[in-house]
Amino acid sequence: MSSKPVISVIGSLNVDFVTLTPRVPAAGETLTATSLAVHPGGKGANQAVSCGKASFATEANQDVTVEMVGCVGKGDPYYASLLKPTLEQSGVGTSAIEELEGSQTGTATILVEENGQNRILFVPGANFDGMRDSAKAIAASTQPTEPSVLVMQGEIPADATFKIIEHFGRSSTQVVLNPAPVYTDGVPASVLKHVDFLVVNETECMLLAQAIPDAKITVKDEEDMSSDELKSIAATFHQTIGVRNLLVTLGAKGVFYSTQAGQQDLVSGLKVPKVVDTTAAGDTFVGYFAAALARHIAKEGSADGFNIAAATLRANAAAALCVQRSGAMQSIPFGYEVK
């Protein structure tokens, strides 16, 4: 049994096919595109990579054990040659990833026009075929020991996600949920009350809040919420549902956080010389925050007294470094790179 704290990430693993093209072809038209690139992807895998990289205090010292729980297609060459090596080189264990017979690894086919517009075709594949069994996912994430922190997103079946959160919400494991993308019907209050740290952007925050019965939440601009609006929404999450901690990422403006105990603040965003790619910024934030939480639990024996402000500040710094690089997983910094 490892003496290090353990983070289990349960979620999606994808292969992304990115085609750059002058424009999208019309029906029946064949068009010469500019380039094709194949990348490892999936929000689950992205956040696992972030947790793994964040746990490297030095190049030789990884102080948090990170395990990825998910499914891919059996015999998929992209898993063997791309996804698995990327995870492992980032400090993520892959023994709990199941290779499913008769299923294909999840894929995203992304068409990017010269003007920056994109169109995405997503095939869930093994992310849905193999992840409907919540009991199997729970068993995989508790071997050989219960995780200190569980990290989840919104790219596996909703019912499984909800059952997994409810299970761990009744244990000592701290549940970090980043519901991206938000499920069509939101996340039930009966599930959200088991979430210890709910991490959302402004749009996700509003989608979840609007699904709360009788919440009567109004916001002038959900992409530019005021401080008073954020505090009002936070109060609803805490008092009506029982969410312990809410973090709302606000892009360049920073991160607003609120605790059930009444602690609230806005951690300002960090200015960077040039923003290159924001694709993995949110996943970087979640991974670094989860790693900080796991370290605190290992040191103190529980989440009590966790310095949410300090963890948010460092996660912000990691995200600021990430956006200055291109790509998704490859843009996420290692812990020893973040000052």
Side-chain angles (χ1 to χ4, degrees):
M1 184 179 295
S2 174
S3 59
K4 299 177 184 178
V6 177
I7 298 175
S8 284
V9 182
I10 302 179
S12 57
L13 300 109
N14 295 333
V15 178
D16 295 344
F17 298 93
V18 183
T19 300
L20 300 183
T21 176
R23 60 177 175 81
V24 175
E29 179 185 17
T30 298
L31 186 68
T32 300
T34 305
S35 65
L36 169 68
V38 184
H39 301 292
K43 287 197 73 66
N46 284 350
Q47 292 183 8
V49 164
S50 179
C51 290
K53 287 186 172 184
S55 66
F56 280 91
T58 67
E59 290 187 48
N61 177 30
Q62 183 179 8
D63 59 5
V64 179
T65 297
V66 181
E67 297 290 340
M68 178 75 213
V69 180
C71 294
V72 296
K74 188 173 181 61
D76 184 349
Y78 285 113
Y79 175 62
S81 64
L82 183 64
L83 260 173
K84 186 176 182 180
T86 300
L87 288 164
E88 292 177 342
Q89 290 163 14
S90 302
V92 180
T94 59
S95 62
I97 297 175
E98 182 181 3
E99 297 188 54
L100 288 180
E101 191 78 55
S103 185
Q104 67 178 77
T105 303
T107 63
T109 300
I110 307 167
L111 303 179
V112 183
E113 296 180 296
E114 287 181 346
N115 62 8
Q117 292 292 322
N118 66 69
R119 290 168 174 80
I120 301 174
L121 296 169
F122 173 55
V123 180
N127 292 321
F128 275 25
D129 296 341
M131 295 302 289
R132 298 184 191 281
D133 189 341
S134 59
K136 183 185 289 187
I138 290 167
S141 62
T142 53
Q143 298 298 324
T145 185
E146 288 267 343
S148 305
V149 178
L150 171 74
V151 178
M152 295 198 72
Q153 317 77 34
E155 286 188 339
I156 64 172
D159 185 60
T161 297
F162 301 161
K163 288 178 179 177
I164 293 166
I165 290 172
E166 288 173 337
H167 171 86
F168 282 104
R170 299 186 182 99
S171 73
S172 61
T173 297
Q174 292 289 294
V175 177
V176 178
L177 173 63
N178 173 223
V182 174
Y183 292 114
T184 303
D185 297 323
V187 180
S190 60
V191 174
L192 286 175
K193 71 179 183 180
H194 291 292
V195 174
D196 295 288
F197 294 88
L198 179 63
V199 185
V200 290
N201 62 25
E202 289 167 291
T203 300
E204 293 155 358
C205 182
M206 279 304 303
L207 288 172
L208 290 180
Q210 289 168 349
I212 299 172
D214 303 320
K216 297 179 181 179
I217 292 173
T218 57
V219 171
K220 292 181 180 179
D221 183 355
E222 69 181 41
E223 295 183 356
D224 188 20
M225 295 184 190
S226 70
S227 176
D228 287 342
E229 288 171 335
L230 287 166
K231 290 177 180 178
S232 175
I233 290 174
T236 299
F237 276 108
H238 295 319
Q239 297 167 13
T240 304
I241 296 178
V243 172
R244 297 169 183 83
N245 301 278
L246 173 69
L247 295 97
V248 185
T249 57
L250 306 169
K253 293 182 293 183
V255 179
F256 168 82
Y257 70 84
S258 177
T259 72
Q260 205 169 35
Q263 183 183 3
Q264 294 181 330
D265 200 3
L266 174 65
V267 176
S268 298
L270 301 177
K271 293 183 178 180
V272 300
K274 181 181 179 181
V275 175
V276 176
D277 189 344
T278 63
T279 302
D283 294 333
T284 298
F285 179 90
V286 171
Y288 268 76
F289 187 87
L293 177 60
R295 289 190 182 102
H296 174 85
I297 294 171
K299 181 179 179 181
E300 303 298 335
S302 75
D304 293 345
F306 176 56
N307 190 334
I308 190 171
T312 299
L313 186 64
R314 180 166 172 77
N316 249 1
L321 187 56
C322 163
V323 301
Q324 297 177 69
R325 304 171 175 180
S326 61
M329 292 184 190
Q330 64 267 38
S331 71
I332 300 172
F334 281 92
Y336 52 80
E337 298 179 85
V338 182
K339 307 302 181 184

